[in-house]
Amino acid sequence: MTFGPTWNNLRDNVDALQSDAILVTPLSRKAFSIEDVQEHRVLIQYRDDDETIPLQKDQFETLYERVSDARGEFDVDRLPPDAEPYATVLSLHPRFEVDDRAGTLTESDQSTGSPLVEAQSGSEELDETEREEPDLDVYADALLLIDALERHDLTTLEAVDTPALVNIYTLLSDVQRNANDLRTDVRSVLLDRLHHDQPVSGQFGSVQRTTRRNRSLKDDELVLNAFEAAGIERERLTTVDSSKVDDALAVTDLSETDVYDIEPSEYVRKADVDEQEKETRLQGLKDQLEATEGDEADELRNEIEALEDRIAELTEFRSGRSFHESSAGG
């Protein structure tokens, strides 16, 4: 099949995008927009650059052939860095799809559309959706911690002044506590959705359900009688503790269940972390924040400042002298 019909179909779909549609590259998550669709090329512009970049028809045809040679599934990381936009734009064709988590560009008659059209700032749907602050303690603490980390160089902790270290330590403690509380709530929901030995993956890693054995010694008298019946004198276990019990178990035919109450408990453990994906996504978030302008950016800054002022009022240290001077002045 020649590339001509595919190219014409692709041009029609690109041309049908809203003028303010924002697309992102599949690996580096760099944002760009379509500036123009011409007969033999598509013009794009990165959000953080004023230069217009042409994506040529013959390069799209080369990528099309590579996908065909790969039997319909091409690994996007085989592309040169400056060729990533080709994969994003090609995914606008109804037969091509980018799986940004798996890192593949596939050809299929059942494509579900491109996940790389990140935002359309002029759409009615986004206009009706206002940004809301999550009602979570960890959210406020995390914002304050991010702000503190950006304002202080922690590469050499000894060079940071004491009040700054106190603030950072306090925020780290609060984030850890509140994150653990939220983690516990999330874990309880995940337990109902996971099956044993079947990891479930997300964008940043995977988890799996695992069984943990919790042992607790039975009644002292019961344990002592069991070992005495097995030939272990009571004097060797005058006080029952797990270390002595385990040593005694090793030289008898008793089983764990003879002296331990064992109850299995289900929990979720972290099975894998995709550090590269986290770093890539974090850089994308930084790029988006730097590019944010207008009311939304001002609102975010004001929100952070208000949270910081609130915490400062609650945690400000005042000496006894300043307190008495304040009271006397009042």
Side-chain angles (χ1 to χ4, degrees), residues 9-23:
N9 195 334
L10 176 61
R11 287 177 57 210
D12 290 341
N13 281 274
V14 174
D15 205 25
L17 284 177
Q18 294 189 8
S19 61
D20 54 3
I22 301 299
L23 294 82

Side-chain angles (χ1 to χ4, degrees), residues 160-171:
V160 182
D161 59 33
T162 300
L165 287 177
V166 170
N167 287 338
I168 291 172
Y169 185 87
T170 301
L171 291 171

Side-chain angles (χ1 to χ4, degrees), residues 64-82:
Y64 168 81
E65 292 172 351
R66 288 191 179 184
V67 175
S68 299
D69 293 341
R71 297 182 178 180
E73 184 171 293
F74 178 77
D75 291 332
V76 179
D77 59 7
R78 293 172 56 190
L79 290 172
D82 57 355

Side-chain angles (χ1 to χ4, degrees), residues 64-135:
Y64 168 81
E65 292 172 351
R66 288 191 179 184
V67 175
S68 299
D69 293 341
R71 297 182 178 180
E73 184 171 293
F74 178 77
D75 291 332
V76 179
D77 59 7
R78 293 172 56 190
L79 290 172
D82 57 355
E84 283 190 56
Y86 283 91
T88 299
V89 175
L90 185 58
S91 71
L92 297 175
H93 190 284
R95 282 205 329 273
F96 292 87
E97 181 177 3
V98 168
D99 185 334
D100 52 346
R101 187 171 65 85
T104 57
L105 173 63
T106 59
E107 181 179 8
S108 171
D109 293 334
Q110 299 178 345
S111 173
T112 58
S114 176
L116 300 176
V117 181
E118 186 171 77
Q120 296 178 353
S121 60
S123 67
E124 294 181 1
E125 180 180 354
L126 289 180
D127 284 343
E128 295 174 356
T129 304
E130 297 182 358
R131 179 179 174 275
E132 295 183 0
E133 176 184 342
D135 186 18

